């Protein structure tokens, strides 16, 4: 009936208004998050599948706001990107992550590295290479202490000189990784346009490799492609022993996921025990 239609519309606009209000308050709070020191990093161990050693860690942002509570990166990162706040936040991530890398290279392993997600927007900043150089040199770190993770969309962005910036990174020994491999429309063709060092296979594929034969085939094909292009492969989101076994069988180099550990505050990371692979 007409009444029902009106009601549905009423609830629809109510929900829309709630979304708009939420977006506004997240943006408002995010503007002061850095100066109020509400941001922090967690680190997820990255495991070398040849010897089961933790060789690196992905740095992931966390935000606790007194008004909003914890807000997930999937919600606040896009807003940070749209508002330009990502530049300052990205620099914070880089500096904090490298500070941690310097400690772990002394305490854990002299070759330990950290991986940092870099948004396409950050590549529009002509100062990005300088920011990275200063962050490395202020901790006396070589490029090998850092991996940068970019999604393929970075190469689509005409306003950023992503390819040349990534080449500058590589020249410094920084490992350049394609994140979320397989989720975009053109992952394969981007491998021709830029010589990545590492492919990070998206967790949406890894999650189903032991149930869905098509996903398994895709991952196995990616592994053999990567081998022929001399790229390392890291599997994200490894949650079960069965997934791990299949990945190792097909020559996957590195993995991260809840099977090994969730992203951890740096202090807990220090306690993280290395587990043995069967
Ligand atoms: P991502 O780069 O693909 O990061 C991996 C995400 O998978 C993380 O979510 C991590 O907590 C989650 N994860 C790891 N292992 C598993 C697993 O075994 N199972 C499942 N279900 N999930 C797992 P998180 O921390 O919520 O981050 C979400 C996204 O937010 C990231 O996806 C990345 O795109 C973005 N992000 C996070 N931190 C930063 C940052 O510092 N800078 C930028 N630009 N983006 C960031
Ligand atoms: Ca990532
Ligand atoms: Ca990913
Ligand atoms: Ca992602």
């Amino acid at each position: 009936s007409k009444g029902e239609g009106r009601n549905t519309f009423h609830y629809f606009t109510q929900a829309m208004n709630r979304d708009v209000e939420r977006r506004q308050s997240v943006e408002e709070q995010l503007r002061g998050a850095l100066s109020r020191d509400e941001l922090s990093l967690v680190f997820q161990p990255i495991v070398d599948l040849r010897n089961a050693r933790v060789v690196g860690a992905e740095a992931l942002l966390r935000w606790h706001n007194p008004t909003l509570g914890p807000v997930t990166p999937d919600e606040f990162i896009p807003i940070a990107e749209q508002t330009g706040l990502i530049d300052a936040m990205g620099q914070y991530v880089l500096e904090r992550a490298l500070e941690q890398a310097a400690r772990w290279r002394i305490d854990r392993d002299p070759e330990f590295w950290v991986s940092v997600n870099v948004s396409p927007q950050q590549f529009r900043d002509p100062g990005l290479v300088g920011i990275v150089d200063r962050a490395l040199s202020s901790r006396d770190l070589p490029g090998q202490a850092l991996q940068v993770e970019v999604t393929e969309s970075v190469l689509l962005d005409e306003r950023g000189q992503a390819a040349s910036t990534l080449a500058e990174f590589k020249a410094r020994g920084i490992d350049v990784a394609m994140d979320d491999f397989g989720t975009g429309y053109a992952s394969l063709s981007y491998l021709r346009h830029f010589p990545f060092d590492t492919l990070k296979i998206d967790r949406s594929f890894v999650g189903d490799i032991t149930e869905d034969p098509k996903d398994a085939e895709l991952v196995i094909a990616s592994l053999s492609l990567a081998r022929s292009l001399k790229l390392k492969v890291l599997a994200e989101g490894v949650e079960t022993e069965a997934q791990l076994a299949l990945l190792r069988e097909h020559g996957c180099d590195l993995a991260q996921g809840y099977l090994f550990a969730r992203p951890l505050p740096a202090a807990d990371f220090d306690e993280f025990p290395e587990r043995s692979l069967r």
Side-chain angles (χ1 to χ4, degrees):
S1 74
K2 254 190 188 157
E4 255 168 50
R6 245 195 318 270
N7 259 340
T8 310
F9 185 69
H10 177 70
Y11 290 124
F12 174 70
T13 43
Q14 259 190 347
M16 228 170 67
N17 287 337
R18 269 198 307 276
D19 286 352
V20 169
E21 278 164 26
R22 168 78 185 179
R23 169 83 174 61
Q24 274 166 355
S25 52
V26 169
E27 179 177 335
E28 214 174 276
Q29 293 297 319
L30 196 58
R31 288 191 182 282
L34 205 53
S35 58
R36 290 190 304 265
D37 206 20
E38 293 169 3
L39 298 172
S40 61
L41 290 186
V42 287
F43 294 88
Q44 187 172 39
I46 293 173
V47 177
D48 184 333
L49 295 184
R50 289 169 311 177
N51 53 21
R53 297 200 54 207
V54 177
V55 289
E58 180 175 3
L60 294 156
L61 255 180
R62 292 294 177 264
W63 178 29
H64 276 267
N65 177 264
T67 317
L68 300 166
V71 185
T72 65
D74 287 326
E75 183 174 9
F76 72 78
I77 294 285
I79 296 174
E81 291 175 339
Q82 288 153 22
T83 53
L85 294 166
I86 194 69
D87 286 312
M89 286 168 56
Q91 184 169 350
Y92 169 87
V93 172
L94 190 71
E95 286 168 358
R96 291 284 79 75
L98 287 176
E99 175 185 3
Q100 206 48 63
R103 287 202 192 122
W104 283 327
R105 283 168 85 92
I106 293 167
D107 298 346
R108 284 185 80 98
D109 169 359
E111 291 183 6
F112 199 90
W113 46 273
V114 291
S115 192
V116 167
N117 294 282
V118 183
S119 290
Q121 283 72 12
Q122 293 177 258
F123 284 87
R124 293 183 194 162
D125 176 0
L128 180 61
V129 175
I131 289 170
V132 171
D133 279 341
R134 281 190 297 280
L136 284 168
S137 64
S138 76
R139 307 276 166 195
D140 228 357
L141 290 167
Q144 283 77 6
L146 179 65
Q147 178 182 66
V148 298
E149 298 186 21
V150 298
T151 52
E152 62 174 40
S153 64
V154 79
L155 295 170
L156 276 177
D157 183 356
E158 312 245 311
R159 280 191 276 169
Q161 285 87 46
S164 63
T165 304
L166 292 175
E168 298 243 26
F169 288 162
K170 274 188 84 132
R172 287 154 174 76
I174 298 168
D175 189 284
V176 179
M178 186 193 274
D179 202 0
D180 301 343
F181 180 73
T183 58
Y185 294 106
S187 297
L188 285 181
S189 78
Y190 285 106
L191 292 181
R192 283 191 316 161
H193 292 291
F194 188 78
F196 288 89
D197 300 295
T198 302
L199 291 189
K200 293 194 76 166
I201 300 185
D202 194 66
R203 67 171 193 264
S204 60
F205 294 110
V206 174
D208 273 347
I209 49 173
T210 50
E211 276 96 55
D212 186 340
K214 283 206 203 82
D215 280 359
E217 282 310 320
L218 272 172
V219 169
I220 293 164
S222 305
L223 284 164
S224 86
L225 172 82
R227 199 163 26 246
S228 64
L229 295 174
K230 304 206 161 48
L231 303 173
K232 280 168 293 183
V233 180
L234 186 155
E236 299 184 322
V238 178
E239 294 184 350
T240 69
E241 293 285 351
Q243 291 163 359
L244 176 63
L246 190 142
L247 289 162
R248 291 183 77 202
E249 184 190 333
H250 293 279
C252 186
D253 304 287
L254 300 156
Q256 65 187 98
Y258 296 168
L259 176 65
F260 304 103
R262 297 197 171 239
L264 303 161
D268 300 341
F269 195 102
D270 295 337
E271 313 286 293
F272 179 76
E274 306 215 336
R275 73 195 272 297
S276 54
L277 290 178
R278 268 169 289 181

